[in-house]
Amino acid sequence: MDDVRTSRQRRRGRKENLKIRARLLQSVRVFFIERGFLEVETPVRIPAPAPEAHIDPVRSGQWCLHPSPELCMKRLVASGFEKIFQISRVFREGERGSNHLPEFTMLEWYRAGEDYCALMSDCEALLAHLGGELLDQPVLEYGGVSARLDGGTERVTVGEAFRRHAGRSLNEIIAENSFEEVLTEAVEPRLGHPLPTLLHDYPIELGSLARAKSSDPKLAERVELYVAGIELGNGFSELVDAHEQRKRFEAEIELKRARGVEWNPMPEKFLTDLPHMPECAGMALGLDRLAMLFTGAETIDEVSAFTPEEL
Amino acid sequence: MYKAADLKKGLKVEIDDEPYVIVGFEFSKPGKGQALYRCRMKNMINGNQMDRTYRSGDSFKPAALEERTMQYLFHDGTFYTFMDSKTYEQVHLTDDQVGEGKNFLIDNLEAEILMWQERPIGITLPNFVNLRITKTEPAARGDTTSNVTKLVTVETGYSLQGPAFLEEGELIAVDTRTGDYGTRVKG
């Protein structure tokens, strides 16, 4: 930001990164197609997103641009689509930082008849595949650490990760309302190296679309993927109970109202279709951040053709 | 009031009754969680830095700073005295507050004095100040290459590198932001 090069020069400098990004997108497609997933496209402009306390959609007339393709993809699963994936541009109001763009590229996939354990295996296989396709050695060097992509993953529960890296119990941290601070300062930098980390079993209040664990209803079957300290993706064993889902959406809307957010439509057609959705699991993964890892880019700007500031 | 979403480098806010400028800023948002706004803030009075993390609900009072154009009068060994030429009000700045600016202070120079609750806390000089050369070696004869420089000393006692053709008594414009030679000035 402090340099005075023109944005045209900056884009020229990004050419190599954009080539790697293109190969990454192609390899991701090949991975899913080879495994029998159907590539789908769902509308970018939708009447109601999933109400989530801390995700603000970008308005588009009376509707909005989707913050993720989640609801439409689940409705496809409810209509009998068993394995689908989508690569789409998604939009989130007010998110801008070295790892955030208000418009970014998301990979999202769903598997009917599976739970979040299948997603973890998918993540592991996807990273190994990409490492094999794009790197001479399947090891990512990023931010002073390295992550081996073909040696499996570290799987750790949120509770254990907080004990191990922050030296404190999750309950204590939630009680003092500092989950995000401790996670980003003490825990995340330690995740994803020397192996990618699958952080799983979140407190139920942090997984509004996730199914509760049958062995412990205070935990949600939610998983996040980290590589070299970077948060890449989020997945759930999807909640299929429409009644419970409506209650959780209402709770999220309450939290949004408390923040002063006024536009909170309920996604009624999704809730109507939900009882027809089989048990399934879905995961979303940020492809811009994946491109950062494979190019060594320090900021998301360096793997983007244009940033909002350059438009 | 500013909201957390307004935070960015360069923003000046009031915290614990003191003015701070944000010198480092990072937005982060762990998946599905609340946005965090990490700021490195510099106290505008004493220069001390601190790190603070804010959330989206937080709000901030803009630092009520005022810039006033004042003339430099004199240095009494401890303070640099400036005067508002309309109200004749005088303010006193310390060595630390003036910093490198002392190299460019000549009588009656107009500068912007940053005021916080009627107290001077900083100074912004014009980008260029004209200063007379008081000492330099004579111009080297026959040497016409433009990249030869020599040391010149100006009326404030400040020394800098300038082109070889400069002579004692000449007026030069000096860039107060870098301390470098700008151009020769007629007069």
Side-chain angles (χ1 to χ4, degrees), chain A residues 54 98 177 180-181 184, chain B residues 26 29 32 34 38 55:
Chain A
H54 303 297
S98 54
N177 190 23
E180 284 91 348
E181 282 85 349
T184 54
Chain B
E26 176 58 26
K29 192 166 191 282
K32 312 267 175 196
Q34 328 198 25
R38 284 208 172 74
R55 290 179 170 196

Side-chain angles (χ1 to χ4, degrees), chain B residues 113-131:
Chain B
I113 304 295
L114 189 62
M115 304 290 290
W116 165 255
Q117 295 175 347
E118 305 301 313
R119 274 166 63 193
I121 61 167
I123 178 169
T124 308
L125 296 176
N127 291 345
F128 288 93
V129 172
N130 295 341
L131 299 169

